[in-house]
Amino acid sequence: MTTTFLVTSSLVKVLVILLITVGVFAPILIWAERRQSAMIQDRLGPSRAAIVLPASAVAFIDRARLPMWRLAALTGIVAIVALVTLTFVALKGSNPLPISTSSLTSSLIAFGAASVLLRAGYGMHSMIIRNSGKIMLIGLLHPVADALKFIFKEDFVPPKGDKLLFSLGPIIALIPAIGAFAVIPFASSLHWDYLDQVLPRTGEIAGLVVPLQVASLNVGILFIFAIASTGIIGAAISGYASDNKFSLLGGIRAASQMVSYEVVLGLTLVPAFMVYASLRLEDMATWQHDHVWGIFVPPLTLAAVTFVVAAIAETKRVPFDLPEGESELVGGYLTEYSGMKFGMFFMGEFVEVVSLAAIFSVIFLGGWDVPFLYRDGFEFSLPFVSASYSVPVVHWLVVAIQFGVFLFKIVALIWFQLMIRWSLPRFRYDQLMSLCWKGMLPLSLLNILAVGAFILSGWLDGWVAFFEKLF
Amino acid sequence: MTVEVKVIKKPGRTLAEQAYVPEIAKGLGFAMGRFFKNTFGPQAKKEIDTVKYPEEKVEYPERFRGIHRLTQRSDGSPRCVACLCCSTACPAQCIHIEPAEYEPDDPRHGYERYPSVFVIDELRCIFCGYCVEACPCDAIRMDTGMHMPPSTSRDHFIYDKETLLSIPGRDGTYLTANPRHEPGDDTHPGIDRERGH
């Protein structure tokens, strides 16, 4: 492995992660949170930000609409004909037609894609006409508008506040949130020399291996804890530096809440280390790929629930958003922040949501594992029946599917978190603390005990063997 | 007489409610149901109350008093006979009318007058509808279903005769449903101001 390749691949991985977190998920989350809350509360939500098109462009779009629809229908019919022919060929086993199978396949893909794209274009154009010549994209332009506003807003610093710490606060809050992604594996490792081949299911493979993870640290999850606890400093010093009693109270609340829940957060994951016998996140994902998803191992199910509660408290979001409880503290430690500094806190919060979803899916939902997908492709099998149906898949596609499913898991978990955020009322501060120290701490300690018993008694092996027989 | 007392159970004290988790699940389930119904459900079942305002509009109720319009005769001239009933009835004194006589060769000459100037100051108007009530000819109406379009200049709210005549009713027409009997029609009563009854 050359150094250049290592550096290039690492840079690409870092860029992908930055793109996913700051570039895609955070802005879309800002939109999704508002849109989703609106849907729960029978409102329309953000839909006003728009690009106004000139009248001539609108007229052109209006004229192009119908031909587009017709073309979509036409290409769609061709694609369906190709599909029917292909099915016929596949059923017959041989191809008696003058057209070769490969050209049929390529025409199916080309015409199908063209049809879908044209139909989507027709839909978009109709939407523009319906919105009287404005591109609105169901409110997706709002994050752009927000960002523009943030950038051009006055960058206010309280005159008697600590200017250095005040500016440092948002940075310390945002960077660790992104840093947590360094150890998260987003697909199984990539065998660079065999991209377009079907790999054998088991065994070592020689050649260049690219682990799809920025840093393969042997402390793994402990790195995430370490870097997440840095976020406490961000909240605390920004509260202190704001020269405002509300901010200070918010910062203190944030610090004490995060310190308390950090303890629980660590303890809830101890059962996971015990079962997977590793701290590395990629080993955890591989264990779940080989055996069974963590959430289906009984003591880990409880660990998963407690982990979600502790992690939501750690991200300081509803129902644990007391540090910024607006009815008591105006905006908590965010009170004095405006412009892009506030934007960084905001981004940090949403990146934390994404990283929480990623960590949860790696530890409890198998990470990049896709049911029935192995290194050599899909193999579907039924429980207690030896019959199976396998589809070989080339290596790059296997990795791409794994990556896509991992992203899907993250999106589903984010959706769930937003759902919690809009459904539950806020706790009182003493309730928050007693839930942590009197409820979740003993519960997670007991859970560690239970997992120990589960492993020592050999039930874990039995359970895993039972599951493997099932699938 | 004995007073019957109905004992109502205190809410929120059952074990399931105290355990918090089932209630969380219930709340989440409700919110999720709402979310799916309003996001992916069929259009008819959605319960979204807000509209995209300038693109979609909620119709005003049928009897809504919108901006005024002057109704027209079938030849396009105003039905108004400049009797000044509306400006007299107007509590805000926002209507200004200058009556004028029709040309001598017009069959309406000597029978009725017309407004050479008819101005309504829509910023003064309190939209009480007394002018419509007072009008004997069904010449002024507030059935446009429109509120005043916003503007940055006060001048834009002074509606003159041409503007008022150019505003259609909610059904899109400039006439009214009430028939008009012009001089010369069979139905015309044939009375004349100058020649007596």
Side-chain angles (χ1 to χ4, degrees):
Chain A
M1 197 192 301
T2 61
T3 320
T4 343
F5 184 81
L6 193 68
V7 170
T8 326
S9 64
S10 301
L11 276 180
V12 167
K13 282 184 276 188
V14 170
L15 274 180
V16 164
I17 278 176
L18 279 181
L19 202 73
I20 291 173
T21 54
V22 186
V24 178
F25 269 120
I28 287 186
L29 262 173
I30 292 169
W31 166 79
E33 185 167 65
R34 264 124 200 85
R35 189 80 179 175
Q36 198 169 328
S37 71
M39 286 298 150
I40 297 168
Q41 296 161 2
D42 294 346
R43 291 182 288 112
L44 266 180
S47 59
R48 295 313 309 164
I51 299 171
V52 183
L53 294 177
S56 55
V58 177
F60 175 74
I61 284 171
D62 202 15
R63 273 205 310 282
R65 226 153 33 119
L66 198 59
M68 227 166 169
W69 190 87
R70 285 185 185 141
L71 215 57
L74 209 66
T75 45
I77 288 167
V78 174
I80 288 167
V81 168
L83 184 67
V84 168
T85 329
L86 267 178
T87 325
F88 168 73
V89 169
L91 285 177
K92 203 154 184 290
S94 64
N95 188 356
L97 301 168
I99 318 164
S100 71
T101 315
S102 63
S103 65
L104 265 179
T105 319
S106 51
S107 67
L108 169 66
I109 291 169
F111 280 102
S115 176
V116 169
L117 283 178
L118 282 167
R119 182 63 187 78
Y122 170 77
M124 294 267 281
H125 284 188
S126 302
M127 208 127 83
I128 290 170
I129 299 297
R130 259 210 310 285
N131 292 335
S132 51
K134 292 183 211 131
I135 300 177
M136 285 176 168
L137 300 177
I138 53 172
L140 272 173
L141 290 168
H142 273 265
V144 183
D146 279 344
L148 279 176
K149 185 190 78 176
F150 275 153
I151 288 166
F152 290 108
K153 238 179 155 176
E154 185 195 351
D155 192 16
F156 175 77
V157 179
K160 289 187 179 169
D162 190 320
K163 287 182 184 54
L164 175 70
L165 291 185
F166 189 80
S167 310
L168 214 56
I171 301 173
I172 297 181
L174 175 63
I175 300 298
I178 302 172
F181 270 88
V183 291
I184 288 169
F186 39 88
S188 64
S189 43
L190 195 64
H191 297 276
W192 191 254
D193 300 331
Y194 310 100
L195 278 186
D196 48 357
Q197 290 172 31
V198 178
L199 295 178
R201 182 174 301 186
T202 50
E204 290 290 313
I205 293 163
L208 199 50
V209 180
V210 186
L212 290 180
Q213 180 182 22
V214 171
S216 174
L217 302 178
N218 53 9
V219 287
I221 190 78
L222 298 184
F223 169 77
I224 291 179
F225 288 149
I227 208 159
S229 51
T230 323
I232 300 172
I233 301 167
I237 67 168
S238 55
Y240 162 74
S242 291
D243 185 34
N244 177 330
K245 288 191 179 70
F246 289 126
S247 298
L248 185 62
L249 274 173
I252 291 169
R253 274 191 181 189
S256 59
Q257 174 181 338
M258 287 169 83
V259 167
S260 307
Y261 275 89
E262 202 110 284
V263 177
V264 178
L265 199 69
L267 285 176
T268 51
L269 286 188
V270 171
F273 316 151
M274 290 160 75
V275 170
Y276 305 141
S278 172
L279 285 176
R280 286 168 180 265
L281 286 157
E282 65 268 35
D283 289 352
M284 294 185 185
T286 315
W287 189 93
Q288 292 174 81
H289 175 66
D290 294 340
H291 300 100
V292 53
W293 285 9
I295 199 157
F296 296 125
V297 180
L300 286 194
T301 315
L302 182 63
V305 175
T306 45
F307 173 75
V308 166
V309 176
I312 290 175
E314 182 74 19
T315 54
K316 307 185 289 294
R317 285 169 63 80
V318 180
F320 304 110
D321 66 335
L322 291 123
E324 49 197 272
E326 61 282 311
S327 52
E328 305 134 31
L329 295 182
V330 189
Y333 61 93
L334 302 170
T335 307
E336 297 287 353
Y337 282 91
S338 65
M340 209 55 216
K341 283 191 186 127
F342 174 75
M344 281 167 85
F345 272 117
F346 209 50
M347 286 275 255
E349 186 178 319
F350 282 109
V351 173
E352 269 176 14
V353 170
V354 183
S355 64
L356 163 59
I359 295 167
F360 186 85
S361 87
V362 168
I363 294 179
F364 296 108
L365 292 183
W368 43 261
D369 176 46
V370 187
F372 306 114
L373 181 69
Y374 304 94
R375 204 161 62 181
D376 57 348
F378 284 102
E379 185 185 319
F380 302 99
S381 53
L382 292 170
F384 311 115
V385 186
S386 57
S388 70
Y389 176 71
S390 49
V391 186
V393 182
V394 292
H395 182 56
W396 70 266
L397 197 56
V398 169
V399 173
I401 293 171
Q402 285 171 345
F403 182 51
V405 169
F406 183 52
L407 285 189
F408 173 77
K409 283 175 189 172
I410 290 180
V411 169
L413 285 168
I414 287 170
W415 178 81
F416 183 71
Q417 286 183 61
L418 293 190
M419 221 61 218
I420 288 178
R421 189 241 179 281
W422 287 107
S423 302
L424 303 182
R426 184 183 293 150
F427 278 80
R428 223 168 46 212
Y429 202 74
D430 61 318
Q431 290 172 335
L432 174 92
M433 280 299 161
S434 63
L435 177 71
C436 175
W437 294 107
K438 295 181 192 162
M440 292 184 39
L441 188 72
L443 195 65
S444 49
L445 285 172
L446 278 177
N447 198 27
I448 293 172
L449 205 66
V451 174
F454 193 68
I455 294 171
L456 283 181
S457 63
W459 285 357
L460 175 68
D461 298 330
W463 181 263
V464 167
F466 168 69
F467 246 89
E468 274 168 1
K469 207 184 293 167
L470 216 55
F471 294 104
Chain B
M1 198 180 94
T2 53
V3 181
E4 283 195 19
V5 178
K6 190 180 173 190
V7 180
I8 298 170
K9 208 166 161 265
K10 213 174 171 184
R13 309 309 292 180
T14 65
L15 183 66
E17 283 162 338
Q18 291 282 290
Y20 198 63
V21 177
E23 291 296 305
I24 287 181
K26 239 197 266 178
L28 272 177
F30 179 79
M32 281 180 193
R34 206 70 174 188
F35 170 77
F36 280 115
K37 187 161 95 180
N38 282 336
T39 310
F40 305 110
Q43 200 65 40
K45 286 213 169 168
K46 288 183 183 177
E47 292 191 38
I48 293 173
D49 296 323
T50 47
V51 296
K52 274 191 195 175
Y53 170 62
E55 288 87 26
E56 294 168 28
K57 281 174 186 161
V58 177
E59 282 269 299
Y60 281 121
E62 198 190 340
R63 293 179 60 182
F64 170 75
R65 292 196 291 267
I67 49 172
H68 312 77
R69 69 175 175 122
L70 284 180
T71 55
Q72 297 179 4
R73 300 171 197 229
S74 45
D75 64 349
S77 58
R79 274 177 80 115
C80 175
V81 296
C83 68
L84 306 187
C85 280
C86 52
S87 59
T88 309
C90 180
Q93 301 188 1
C94 67
I95 307 178
H96 172 72
I97 305 171
E98 284 176 19
E101 202 71 55
Y102 281 107
E103 295 299 312
D105 55 339
D106 195 299
R108 292 170 288 193
H109 177 79
Y111 168 59
E112 58 193 25
R113 297 184 297 180
Y114 76 96
S116 63
V117 175
F118 195 113
V119 176
I120 300 182
D121 185 345
E122 297 282 352
L123 285 180
R124 271 195 178 196
C125 176
I126 57 168
F127 292 90
C128 61
Y130 284 3
C131 51
V132 181
E133 296 290 322
C135 184
C137 309
D138 199 12
I140 186 166
R141 303 198 72 151
M142 296 172 88
D143 63 350
T144 47
M146 290 187 277
H147 55 258
M148 264 185 296
S151 176
T152 49
S153 169
R154 268 173 193 277
D155 300 343
H156 296 167
F157 293 98
I158 314 290
Y159 286 12
D160 60 2
K161 190 174 81 175
E162 281 66 38
T163 314
L164 289 165
L165 279 169
S166 67
I167 303 171
R170 201 182 283 205
D171 53 1
T173 64
Y174 297 90
L175 311 173
T176 80
N178 289 331
R180 164 90 208 159
H181 310 293
E182 301 290 351
D185 291 354
D186 291 344
T187 50
H188 191 253
I191 42 177
D192 192 303
R193 188 155 29 103
E194 283 179 1
R195 274 158 285 180
H197 300 281

